[in-house]
Amino acid sequence: MKLSIERATLLRAVSQAQSVVERRNTIPILANVLIEAEGDTVSFRATDLDIEVVDKAPAMVERAGATTVSAVTLHEIVRKLPDGALVTLADDGAQGRLTVQAGRSTFQLATLPKEDFPVMTATEYAANFSCPAPVLRRLFDKSKFAISTEETRYYLNGVFFHVADGETGRVLRAVATDGHRLARIDAAVPQGADKMPGVIVPRKTVGELRKLLDDDEAQIAVSVSETKVRFATPEITLTSKVIDGTFPDYARVIPVNNSRRMEVDAADFAKAVDRVATVSSERSRAVKMALDEDRLVLSVNAPDAGAAEEELAVAYGDDRLEIGFNAKYLLEIASQVDRENAVFLFSSPGEPTLMREGNDTTAIYVVMPMRV
């Protein structure tokens, strides 16, 4: 195998592939990236047995072929090469070495046989549809903060991606929760997505998918089956196993009769919470919200560290209410608001609170209060 490729193109392809590779590996081949050159393209394939990413790039291929080489080492080399360099990759099967050449630099990297590289089995997908990148980006970006990190409740370690009945008809929906907070984001159902089975997309996959979604013009081809999900652009294909479990009935925990309404500037609210939380003890991070007519007082009382209080002007016209929250949860939820105002709907100090952006019901958040 022998090919020449521009450094920037190579770096982009290799960086996407190497981020999937697990740093701690018991199986040596999983630390490698499979390089396949044919025609006028080269593809880089990497896997951790749960996620597989294939990145195609244009190249000048002199000799077609394939080999595998350490993903992290190759990425580091390419990253350190000067801008605009033309990189030559050459593999002579006999010696088990890949030669990387650019300008006056030459590297010899150990290879492993391509036959040992595990390729994900092909799957029949139940639904195939196309979705604009900004739509997927919004669905996953706004919900991923609520993914649980508890290994015991493994079915909460991802985003539940499914088609559901919304207030105005069928919607494409992403839901994540860790038992303390919940995010539910809706979008219009793309053509062909109606038959899609609901799947739990793992946390790592959500992180890798994010890298495909930066281009606002891109259309992402999405394929979903009971066991796998695939996201593809013309250059990159990301295939992932889904979490084998049943996502809980989240609709039960979303309050519907919360009538106490507070409207506040989201950025001012987040900054104020951040300021008063400075003195709270790390573990509990509890912030008390005291609501009166058009007035919110945020306070923290940490016996060992001190106390803090800040007053904010808000739109509120109901009975006086005192309720406590974890500061980190409030900050994360407030930072999801794209418009200026966040609307909080309260019931009582012990009941879950709902938050949304203005009157927009396509993105709602639920947070559990805590005793303060």
Side-chain angles (χ1 to χ4, degrees), residues 1-5 10 35-37 42 44 59-63 87-90:
M1 175 185 90
K2 189 174 183 189
L3 63 103
S4 304
I5 183 169
L10 179 60
I35 306 170
E36 296 173 295
V42 57
F44 299 87
M60 292 174 283
V61 180
E62 282 183 44
R63 273 200 318 272
V87 186
T88 305
L89 303 179

